[in-house]
Amino acid sequence: MTTDRTESAIDERLRRWRLVLGGDGADGTGCTLAGTDAAMDGALSALYGSRRAGGSGGAAGGSRSAGLGASAPSVARWLGDIRTYFPSSVVQVMQRDAIDRLGLSALLLEPEMLEAVEADVHLVGTLLSLNKAMPETTKETARAVVRKVVEDIEKRLATRTRATLTGALDRSARINRPRHRDIDWDRTIRANLKNYLPEHGTIVPERLIGYGRASQAVKKEVVLCIDQSGSMAASVVYASVFGAVLASMRTLDTRLVVFDTAVVDLTDQLDDPVDVLFGTQLGGGTDINRALAYCQARITRPADTVVVLISDLYEGGIRDEMLKRVAAMKASGVEFVALLALSDEGAPAYDREHAAALAALGAPAFACTPDLFPDVMAAALEKRPLPIPDMA
């Protein structure tokens, strides 16, 4: 004998399966939707339903029919509906799917459409890819959308990044006669293990190792070399924000370079990551060798320089020359970091042969999330092993 609570749980389960399966005759739920549920189903049908000529939209159990119509008003209404019925994280996924599945990119060139969407990193990537085709009436709205996303990323990541890297820069300034509070006890103990006195159970610290406090002088140079091919859109957004954060630190000299088959130095725009992003041009080919040649020519203090290449490593230039440049930089003392992506999505499609070749040179290539990036940079600045995530 079922209770009311059990029946309610069964009904809720059937309702959810009905929304997932779409109400086709074979879904087996026997569940009819009404009210808000029917409206939610209609929003899902417009995007994920099967394309059937003359479909009704499936609002209350009929066959689903994908499509939002060709007009901006109908798309704007749909965008408003999904923001009403679904949480922000789901809205962002649905918007991304709508752009990919239904070809809505062109409609994003209209200001009223941009005002209706839920802004996120992927939307910024789409806007940047449309930058050259964007009419003047839309550009200010697009910049406002991009700025909102950039400011949200900065709020999330800037404070921790500065704190982590300031600590790394402090520790990298090693001194041999430190004050007590500046002693690096871990390195001091390891350096004096030969002076262990077993009868006393202690080590005699013949040589103290410490680190000085950060001064205002530039201690390290960082070069961010960013692949701006279309697949790297999210990475370009995060790298631009991190570039602005690093440039705000007086003890770092930061350079930001973007490339496809040409190389563009955007260092003079680092005070505003939005300007950096609108200075990029997503899409096109890739010439990593040319980009690294440009960066290599501008390194003045190799032993104090970190070069971060952010690319999926699909090289359209001269492969052997690219690898020779990486080997030469490392031999000169440069810390070389190769990131396959700087995003929340994990490892993208990438050239595994090139990744293996870089690893053989002592520069393993891996995907990095924005939250991990400060730790990767701190390790590179201190010349210690990088915290490489499990690619599996």
Side-chain angles (χ1 to χ4, degrees):
M1 182 176 182
T2 61
T3 65
D4 290 343
R5 180 176 297 180
T6 302
E7 290 178 352
S8 178
I10 293 172
D11 289 344
E12 175 62 16
R13 190 177 299 117
L14 288 174
R15 169 185 167 272
R16 288 174 176 270
W17 275 113
R18 166 61 184 79
L19 287 168
V20 169
L21 296 172
D24 290 334
D27 74 8
T29 63
C31 181
T32 301
L33 303 178
T36 300
D37 287 344
M40 290 174 64
D41 188 58
L44 291 168
S45 296
L47 178 56
Y48 299 113
S50 59
R51 295 178 180 271
R52 295 183 180 177
S56 64
S63 297
R64 287 191 171 199
S65 171
L68 300 177
S71 68
S74 65
V75 178
R77 282 194 298 272
W78 180 79
L79 288 168
D81 286 345
I82 64 175
R83 292 173 77 170
T84 299
Y85 302 129
F86 303 100
S88 176
S89 58
V90 175
V91 169
Q92 292 172 5
V93 172
M94 293 180 72
Q95 285 178 173
R96 202 179 315 155
D97 287 347
I99 292 169
D100 292 341
R101 292 165 61 96
L102 303 179
L104 299 185
S105 297
L107 290 175
L108 292 177
L109 300 179
E110 301 183 25
E112 61 270 23
M113 287 296 300
L114 283 180
E115 292 170 357
V117 295
E118 187 83 21
D120 69 343
V121 168
H122 299 281
L123 177 65
V124 169
T126 301
L127 291 178
L128 295 178
S129 69
L130 297 171
N131 184 22
K132 301 303 179 185
M134 197 174 289
E136 290 300 322
T137 53
T138 306
K139 284 189 175 179
E140 283 307 308
T141 305
R143 285 184 72 89
V145 170
V146 172
R147 187 168 297 283
K148 179 181 182 301
V149 174
V150 164
E151 288 175 351
D152 288 345
I153 294 173
E154 281 187 305
K155 286 177 185 176
R156 188 181 109 200
L157 300 172
T159 300
R160 179 171 173 268
T161 299
R162 290 192 186 97
T164 301
L165 298 192
T166 297
L169 291 165
D170 280 351
R171 291 187 293 272
S172 68
R174 302 288 173 188
I175 57 177
N176 292 322
R177 298 182 64 184
R179 292 174 294 180
H180 184 271
R181 66 177 181 175
D182 293 331
I183 294 174
D184 185 331
W185 288 108
D186 182 59
R187 287 178 178 252
T188 294
I189 290 170
R190 279 187 282 158
N192 290 278
L193 286 174
K194 64 181 183 297
N195 301 322
Y196 178 65
L197 301 178
E199 65 273 18
H200 297 288
T202 188
I203 289 174
V204 177
E206 187 176 72
R207 183 167 68 95
L208 297 177
I209 300 175
Y211 45 84
R213 296 295 161 184
S215 67
Q216 295 303 308
V218 172
K219 292 183 175 179
K220 297 283 186 177
E221 298 180 7
V222 175
V223 181
L224 299 177
C225 187
I226 309 167
D227 183 345
Q228 60 176 352
S229 57
S231 60
M232 302 297 292
S235 298
V236 171
V237 176
Y238 280 115
S240 299
V241 174
F242 276 119
V245 173
L246 298 183
S248 71
M249 300 178 64
R250 294 182 181 179
T251 49
L252 287 178
D253 183 8
T254 304
R255 181 179 294 275
L256 188 143
V257 175
V258 298
F259 67 92
D260 40 36
T261 53
V263 180
V264 181
D265 193 325
L266 297 175
T267 303
D268 60 351
Q269 298 178 35
L270 272 176
D271 59 331
D272 188 346
V274 176
D275 286 342
V276 170
L277 288 170
F278 277 94
T280 63
Q281 184 173 342
L282 293 177
T286 307
D287 193 336
I288 303 173
N289 177 54
R290 174 178 288 187
L292 291 181
Y294 179 89
C295 296
Q296 185 181 22
R298 279 146 188 84
I299 295 173
T300 57
R301 299 188 300 153
D304 294 318
T305 299
V306 177
V307 173
V308 182
L309 171 66
I310 304 174
S311 173
D312 54 18
L313 301 181
Y314 286 110
E315 170 66 317
I318 307 173
R319 174 187 184 272
D320 290 342
E321 287 298 313
M322 174 190 77
L323 296 174
K324 285 179 183 177
R325 291 192 190 282
V326 174
M329 281 190 275
K330 287 187 65 63
S332 69
V334 171
E335 286 293 306
F336 191 89
V337 180
L339 300 182
L340 301 170
L342 178 57
S343 68
D344 293 304
E345 275 67 49
Y350 63 95
D351 190 307
R352 295 178 181 273
E353 184 179 345
H354 289 166
L358 287 176
L361 295 174
F366 57 96
C368 177
T369 65
D371 289 328
L372 180 63
F373 185 73
D375 297 320
V376 170
M377 285 302 302
L381 290 170
E382 294 184 68
K383 297 183 181 292
R384 33 182 192 86
L386 302 179
I388 300 174
D390 183 359
M391 292 286 284

